[in-house]
Amino acid sequence: MSPAVFVHGNPSTAALWEGLLVELGREDVVCLSPPGFGAPLPGGFDVSPDGYRDWLVGELERMDGPVDLVGHDWGGAHVMGVAMDRPDLLRSWASDAVGVFHAEYVWHELARTWQTPGSGERHVAGFLGGEPAAVSGRLSARGVPLAVAERIVAGHDPSQAHAILALYRSAAQPTMARAGERLAQAAARPGLAVIATGDDVVGTEAQRRESAARAGARVAVLERSGHWWPARYPLRAAGMLRRFWASVDALAPAAAGAAARM
């Protein structure tokens, strides 16, 4: 079985996946923390969608064989970057962020605040500042289970504020729409577009479905689930991924037979 690699987004850490990984019960799992988001931000790092794609490519190149790559939030966008540009590194991919690559995607209100000089700095300082309990409470108010929020905050890196502002500003439209012109390239590997119906920050459901179709991905709908579905509904999320990976397993004999007949 191919290793499963999980990549989180903003303002999270690998603690996001803990409950889901318990439900999966797999031992061949790797959680990667993007620089600035639970891991140090190296000097000179390219804090942009392309920079994080290249970082993830480098991490995957050091692993043995193709992987099952799973991403949430910005981690989902990084997954798409690899799926579009380096599908040879993947056995499959799963992402809840396909909608941000739609030509008509509009960044959510908080992202637009972060993209605004001055307002962004003030908001990030207020949101990430103060005692850990206060920061955990703010995350919990946005839908993260409090126990998970506390573990996330404990792993925050001091460079996170800079990483948030630089990443969102580098991704202001039309950057993501232009990247989405390559969505069809993601169809080179089996893909899963996760649609949490209550998630209002990664595009409309129509945008997500259209982007999934362009990427050749199947769609998994998580009804009555919000943006933080991996932490809030780990049992449902684990079942969804198991079913998807089983479907990828089923494709392997057919692909091998087709190759033998060539």
Side-chain angles (χ1 to χ4, degrees), residues 11 13 15 131-137 139 148-157:
T13 69
E131 294 297 319
V135 183
S136 300
L139 274 178
V148 178
E150 289 172 345
R151 292 195 292 277
I152 287 174
V153 172
H156 274 173
D157 187 83

Side-chain angles (χ1 to χ4, degrees), residues 44-112:
F45 184 85
D46 178 10
V47 186
S48 72
D50 286 351
Y52 280 102
R53 175 206 59 204
D54 294 345
W55 159 79
L56 185 52
V57 164
E59 294 293 321
L60 298 179
E61 286 179 332
R62 287 190 281 274
M63 297 183 184
D64 293 330
V67 306
D68 292 318
L69 188 60
V70 182
H72 171 256
D73 186 78
W74 264 113
H78 305 332
V79 164
M80 295 309 302
V82 175
M84 291 188 290
D85 295 342
R86 288 296 307 275
D88 58 294
L89 297 171
L90 309 179
R91 187 184 83 118
S92 72
W93 58 265
S95 170
D96 63 356
V98 294
V100 303
F101 294 91
H102 193 280
E104 297 178 2
Y105 174 71
V106 176
W107 279 109
H108 54 90
E109 183 179 0
L110 186 52
R112 296 196 299 272

